[in-house]
Amino acid sequence: DAGVIQSPRHEVTEMGQEVTLRCKPISGHNSLFWYRQTMMRGLELLIYFNNNVPIDDSGMPEDRFSAKMPNASFSTLKIQPSEPRDSAVYFCAIGGASGANVLTFGAGSRLTVL
Amino acid sequence: DQQVKQNSPSLSVQEGRISILNCDYTNSMFDYFLWYKKYPAEGPTFLISISSIKDKNEDGRFTVFLNKSAKHLSLHIVPSQPGDSAVYFCAASEWYTGNQFYFGTGTSLTVIP
């Protein structure tokens, strides 16, 4: 996962607080994805960007979630206000980095909302 | 609405035996499939893929089989090793959409020494 750096690795916050998760991908990719992992639903696609443009955000659960990609080397996923049911591991992934049709994932950000 | 399903949440296998992980999908437009392996506190890592023009793809101890008519694929690990203990995710996509993959819920494999 050296190709995708996510921060923070762990976040514990209280209900109602704003949470910002960050992703720094390596260069050479053309698409970026945010996934959420839960026991019940596995890896859910939240949103993906192609050449920094949001293409499909239909997986974003509610208006409380927003994502930005201001440039090719940085993306954020924001939850405001956060709720306990948002507790999950959030993964950032990139596609096209090696030219193959394969996603490269970061190590994830584990979010706990109390 | 899960388009990719892994109905076995967990599987235990003795070291040296075969591990078989199963995956079903509902979208007949899917034509490219991958398996990912995930260790605790790490991101999923790519393991093996198969396109719909094939029914089998092999890479060392790992073989993926695709049955398009049944919309089913499986991952075989032979022989299983304790280091194979991880969560395995199946993923599917339509090739033309690029990297828009749909993942299953995962199967946790435990290989017993």
Side-chain angles (χ1 to χ4, degrees), chain B residues 1 8 15 17-18 20 23 29 34 37 39 46 51 56 59 67 71 80-81 84 87 91 95 97 104-105 113:
Chain B
D1 182 27
S8 297
E15 180 178 3
R17 301 284 187 131
I18 184 172
I20 300 177
C23 178
M29 299 301 291
L34 297 88
K37 178 178 180 179
Y39 291 119
F46 169 71
S51 74
K56 175 182 174 181
D59 183 3
N67 182 333
K71 297 192 183 69
S80 301
Q81 299 174 354
D84 296 330
V87 177
W95 180 270
T97 65
T105 50

Side-chain angles (χ1 to χ4, degrees), chain A residues 9 31 33 35 56 95 101 103 106, chain B residues 32 36 41 43 98-101:
Chain A
R9 291 296 310 274
S31 52
F33 302 78
Y35 281 88
D56 184 356
N101 200 18
L103 296 180
Chain B
Y32 184 63
Y36 277 79
N99 304 131
Q100 190 172 5
F101 288 98

Side-chain angles (χ1 to χ4, degrees), chain A residues 10-106:
Chain A
H10 302 275
E11 174 93 3
V12 181
T13 190
E14 292 187 345
M15 183 174 65
Q17 296 298 305
E18 178 179 296
V19 173
T20 299
L21 307 178
R22 297 174 178 78
C23 176
K24 292 185 179 181
I26 59 170
S27 60
H29 66 92
N30 55 20
S31 52
L32 183 141
F33 302 78
W34 282 99
Y35 281 88
R36 176 171 69 176
Q37 183 192 5
T38 61
M39 290 294 291
M40 292 299 294
R41 301 181 67 86
L43 283 165
E44 292 178 273
L45 176 63
L46 301 178
I47 185 171
Y48 83 95
F49 296 84
N50 202 33
N51 294 320
N52 310 340
V53 176
I55 302 299
D56 184 356
D57 65 353
S58 60
M60 297 285 260
E62 299 171 30
D63 292 344
R64 299 183 296 107
F65 285 69
S66 62
K68 293 183 180 179
M69 191 168 184
N71 57 63
S73 55
F74 186 64
S75 177
T76 60
L77 178 68
K78 186 177 290 187
I79 309 172
Q80 166 64 21
S82 58
E83 297 183 1
R85 58 189 167 134
D86 301 330
S87 298
V89 182
Y90 292 81
F91 289 101
C92 176
I94 58 173
S98 61
N101 200 18
V102 171
L103 296 180
T104 301
F105 283 83

Side-chain angles (χ1 to χ4, degrees), chain B residues 4 25 30 32-34 90-94 100-103:
Chain B
V4 178
Y25 59 96
F30 288 151
Y32 184 63
F33 306 88
L34 297 88
C90 163
S93 77
E94 296 177 54
Q100 190 172 5
F101 288 98
Y102 296 87
F103 283 80

Side-chain angles (χ1 to χ4, degrees), chain B residues 37-94:
Chain B
K37 178 178 180 179
K38 184 186 177 307
Y39 291 119
E42 295 183 11
T45 55
F46 169 71
L47 188 58
I48 192 169
S49 65
I50 189 168
S51 74
S52 60
I53 61 173
K54 293 185 173 183
D55 53 19
K56 175 182 174 181
N57 189 27
E58 200 169 347
D59 183 3
R61 297 185 297 112
F62 301 90
T63 303
V64 55
F65 294 92
L66 175 63
N67 182 333
K68 291 184 289 292
S69 60
K71 297 192 183 69
H72 177 84
L73 65 157
S74 60
L75 175 69
H76 293 210
I77 306 173
V78 183
S80 301
Q81 299 174 354
D84 296 330
S85 298
V87 177
Y88 290 79
F89 289 97
C90 163
S93 77
E94 296 177 54

